[in-house]
Amino acid sequence: MKFRPCIDIHNGKVKQIIGGSLSDIQDQAEENFTARQDAGWFAGLYKKDGLKGGHIILLNGVDSPFFSATKKQAMLALEAYPKGLQIGGGITAENAKEYIDAGASHVIVTSYIFQDGCFLKKNLEKLVEVVGRKHIIIDLSCRKRDGAYYVVTNRWQQFSKEKLTVLWMEVLAEYCDGFLVHGVDVEGKSAGMEVELVRLLSRFTKRPVTYAGGIGSLKDLKKFEEESKGRLDFTIGSALDIFGGNISYGEIAMKYCD
């Protein structure tokens, strides 16, 4: 079980937001924290502490007037920590190689392969052709509806028809190097993880999985380790002291680094 750090960028600044609040309308989001430092500073910190497998997420759509500033911040992070960070947000077969060439270890893909509520295998295959399976992370961030977890896309605003199951993850595993899964309904709230989701993910062992969402204390982290049987990696954002929270980043980085 390893700590995978994050750099979430919204409107050109490193932020921590409440996941379910993100909206394309006027680029709004309910914010927990806005950093004074740029994305390069955080990437340099993670590099210094030997943390691998972290992710940069661009939270503005490509049509947003803020997208250029957000992308600039992402590029600063990739430059500061080449091959040490993954990147997601608007990834397609057309732009993926640009980010890999800029220093990303992997591209993280969601909306490109889930369109109009459906999984588009042909788009995933295109992405594999461009950058290779070992440079792809599939984002299966999800929300609960009717007793099951469904993948959500377009900055977590739209439900897909795709239900998250272990069997389905095993199929997708042939096209990627791992998975990133946010429990969107608890993301940014530091009020406890999605226990049922963590249990589901822990049954999948074919590729590495990073879980994000709701871990807000060391007690939560201990429970996460128990419920996941130590099989999942994890992200903590808003609850870390570097993002205005109460958990010591230094303590987590030291104990759960590679």
Side-chain angles (χ1 to χ4, degrees):
M1 187 174 94
K2 303 297 182 185
F3 170 52
R4 306 303 185 191
C6 62
I7 303 174
D8 294 342
I9 309 171
H10 183 247
N11 295 356
K13 295 184 180 296
V14 176
K15 296 182 181 180
Q16 287 293 311
I17 68 167
I18 294 177
S21 73
L22 192 62
S23 173
D24 284 340
I25 300 173
Q26 297 181 342
D27 295 288
Q28 297 179 48
E30 188 173 343
E31 300 172 8
N32 285 326
F33 180 82
T34 300
R36 297 190 308 273
Q37 305 93 335
D38 65 19
W41 183 89
F42 287 95
L45 177 67
Y46 302 155
K47 180 180 180 181
K48 175 180 70 70
D49 291 333
L51 297 172
K52 301 176 182 177
H55 54 272
I56 305 163
I57 303 295
L58 291 75
L59 292 174
N60 293 102
V62 294
D63 296 329
S64 165
F66 294 100
F67 181 76
S68 178
T70 291
K71 182 177 178 181
K72 182 178 179 180
Q73 285 292 311
M75 290 301 191
L76 285 176
L78 294 178
E79 182 179 359
Y81 193 3
K83 305 305 178 186
L85 294 165
Q86 306 163 1
I87 189 166
I91 298 297
T92 68
E94 286 68 39
N95 64 19
K97 190 172 185 301
E98 176 189 2
Y99 290 116
I100 296 295
D101 290 345
S105 65
H106 299 73
V107 290
I108 304 168
V109 62
T110 315
S111 296
Y112 180 63
I113 62 172
F114 297 100
Q115 295 183 18
D116 297 322
C118 298
F119 169 57
L120 294 183
K121 182 181 178 182
K122 65 179 182 179
N123 281 3
L124 182 54
E125 290 173 339
K126 286 180 186 176
L127 193 61
V128 172
E129 289 177 9
V130 172
V131 298
R133 178 190 70 78
K134 292 188 176 181
H135 292 292
I136 296 172
I137 299 294
I138 297 179
D139 186 331
L140 296 177
S141 294
C142 54
R143 305 180 82 164
K144 198 171 187 180
R145 186 174 66 182
D146 300 327
Y149 289 97
Y150 289 85
V151 174
V152 288
T153 65
N154 298 323
R155 285 161 298 287
W156 303 332
Q157 297 170 48
Q158 181 181 3
F159 273 89
S160 77
K161 299 174 185 176
E162 306 300 337
K163 186 187 298 185
L164 186 62
T165 66
V166 173
L167 181 60
W168 190 48
M169 290 178 71
E170 289 176 348
V171 172
L172 293 176
E174 299 303 317
Y175 301 91
C176 70
D177 200 43
F179 295 92
L180 173 64
V181 183
H182 289 79
V184 175
D185 288 327
V186 298
E187 172 67 17
K189 296 180 180 179
S190 299
M193 64 185 171
E194 287 267 19
V195 175
E196 188 178 342
L197 177 59
V198 169
R199 289 172 179 167
L200 186 161
L201 295 173
S202 70
R203 298 200 299 271
F204 171 79
T205 58
K206 195 167 185 177
R207 299 274 186 265
V209 178
T210 295
Y211 168 83
I215 298 174
S217 66
L218 294 179
K219 182 178 179 181
D220 286 343
L221 184 56
K222 182 178 180 181
K223 184 176 181 180
F224 171 79
E225 185 167 7
E226 292 170 352
E227 296 290 352
S228 69
K229 300 179 176 61
R231 296 172 183 164
L232 303 177
D233 296 328
F234 66 95
T235 289
I236 301 176
S238 301
L240 290 179
D241 54 6
I242 59 171
F243 295 124
N246 297 315
I247 298 177
S248 167
Y249 160 80
E251 182 178 344
I252 296 296
M254 182 180 297
K255 185 174 181 179
Y256 296 101
C257 69
D258 284 273

